[in-house]
Amino acid sequence: MHLFSYLALLAAAHGVNAQLVNPNKNTFGNVFNFWTKTTDGWDLTRGNATNAITLPLPDPRGQVMIQPASSALVIIDMQNFFLVRDNPNCRFITKNNLSQHPDLGGDPLGRAIIPTTINMIHAFRAKGMKVFWTNWGLTDFDLISMPPAFFRGFSSDGTSATSFGSDMGTIQGNISVGRKLMRGSWNAQPFGDLLDEQLAGVAHGSDFYFNKNRLSGMWGTSTPMQTFLQDNLITTLFFGGVNIDQCVWGTLLDSYYKGYDVILVDDISATTSPSAATAMVDFNAALDGWRANSTDILPALV
């Protein structure tokens, strides 16, 4: 674009923005990205109310109207590494939270939210809304650029030899767990029935899978998921997964910083952290956007 054309576009946008935002005290944002306050809540459709869906979310924000074509469900880190393995290789899990099975450890709270998560996935697909999966999936190049604090945090025994990229051996006698959180490894795959859901959704074109190399799937100037969001004009995001106070919170917070609508879904999120950690996320998510349960959302979708 020539500089003159670009400046003309900016001038036009400024003029429209002034007309759109300033005279109307119930419009928040700018001509490219705005919400409208309604009598009962908020309109997030940004002027495109075709096939819009109204969700009766809890107070204090009240109901929201969303545009299905610009909305998506984001499932974070529901992978074997966090939900299946025994405790010694994972900093997020304590012995008190392990199941009694000698091979299957992981997070029982995370496993417990799987049926509700699948119900949400099916409901979003039925309404033509996309489902995003973002999991740890490192490359060898990621290991070169990974900060030392992350290596320390994911070490099993306090040494770098058991951190990212280390061979995790086998589980249940014959399953090769693979290198820790490396792309394509068994431990980095979605857990149980979620793997079947993800594979079927990707094959059908309703679901999309994005590897990440930090707690947040939206960390950095432009992640693969963010690029997809921008290319497909998706602005409203619903979040669930594990851990609610770490990778879910990090992805939600970075999305909020970058201007997306953020809605935390509590009953498809879990953590092994103390309850105060979840309380912090719930409090701040309600300030940054909305928090709800699937029971607030599913009736409007099914």
Side-chain angles (χ1 to χ4, degrees):
M1 179 183 292
H2 294 297
L3 178 60
F4 178 79
S5 299
Y6 177 69
L7 293 175
L9 177 62
L10 286 180
H14 177 75
V16 173
N17 182 49
Q19 297 175 23
L20 173 67
V21 177
N22 294 338
N24 185 354
K25 64 181 181 181
N26 291 321
T27 299
F28 294 74
N30 56 68
V31 68
F32 302 108
N33 187 13
F34 65 93
W35 297 348
T36 303
K37 194 175 188 307
T38 65
T39 303
D40 301 315
W42 294 86
D43 178 352
L44 310 185
T45 65
R46 292 162 174 80
N48 180 13
T50 304
N51 299 320
I53 300 171
T54 298
L55 304 178
L57 301 189
D59 290 334
R61 294 289 183 91
Q63 70 182 30
V64 297
M65 181 187 297
I66 64 169
Q67 167 52 245
S70 60
S71 302
L73 175 65
V74 184
I75 307 299
I76 302 160
D77 283 3
M78 294 290 283
Q79 56 198 129
N80 289 328
F81 179 81
F82 297 105
L83 301 184
V84 171
R85 299 169 309 86
D86 202 354
N87 145 268
N89 287 310
C90 181
R91 72 182 181 122
F92 298 133
I93 298 170
T94 64
K95 278 291 184 185
N96 292 334
N97 291 319
L98 295 180
S99 68
Q100 299 304 307
H101 192 284
D103 290 327
L104 297 182
D107 177 7
L109 300 177
R111 295 196 295 270
I113 63 174
I114 289 174
T116 306
T117 300
I118 291 176
N119 288 341
M120 283 283 286
I121 290 170
H122 291 171
F124 268 66
R125 289 173 181 164
K127 285 295 184 181
M129 293 188 282
K130 293 177 172 58
V131 177
F132 294 160
W133 306 76
T134 181
N135 286 358
W136 283 95
L138 302 175
T139 65
D140 284 315
F141 179 79
D142 290 325
L143 299 184
I144 295 173
S145 58
M146 188 70 67
F150 281 80
F151 278 106
R152 182 191 64 180
F154 280 82
S155 169
S156 309
D157 60 4
T159 73
S160 59
T162 58
S163 190
F164 291 126
S166 61
D167 186 352
M168 297 179 64
T170 61
I171 193 172
Q172 299 181 40
N174 60 358
I175 297 176
S176 176
V177 180
R179 296 172 65 198
K180 183 178 288 187
L181 289 176
M182 298 300 287
R183 191 173 304 183
S185 67
W186 180 87
N187 73 87
Q189 290 178 355
F191 170 81
D193 292 341
L194 293 174
L195 176 60
D196 295 334
E197 288 290 340
Q198 182 249 314
L199 292 174
V202 169
H204 186 262
S206 60
D207 295 26
F208 301 86
Y209 188 91
F210 303 96
N211 293 291
K212 64 186 180 73
N213 59 9
R214 294 293 189 277
L215 274 70
S216 168
M218 292 284 277
W219 172 84
T221 54
S222 182
T223 69
M225 187 166 75
Q226 182 183 352
T227 299
F228 188 94
L229 292 172
Q230 292 170 340
D231 289 346
N232 290 272
L233 303 178
I234 295 173
T235 52
T236 303
L237 302 176
F238 296 75
F239 296 89
V242 295
N243 281 302
I244 190 174
D245 56 314
Q246 293 158 2
C247 293
V248 176
W249 175 236
T251 306
L252 183 150
L253 197 59
D254 277 342
S255 300
Y256 164 68
Y257 290 155
K258 293 180 177 183
Y260 294 92
D261 315 333
V262 295
I263 302 172
L264 175 67
V265 187
D266 273 316
D267 60 351
I268 63 168
S269 305
T271 186
T272 57
S273 301
S275 59
T278 297
M280 181 281 296
V281 172
D282 283 340
F283 177 81
N284 285 287
L287 295 177
D288 299 341
W290 289 262
R291 56 175 292 245
N293 284 310
S294 64
T295 51
D296 302 309
I297 298 170
L298 289 174
L301 302 183
V302 177

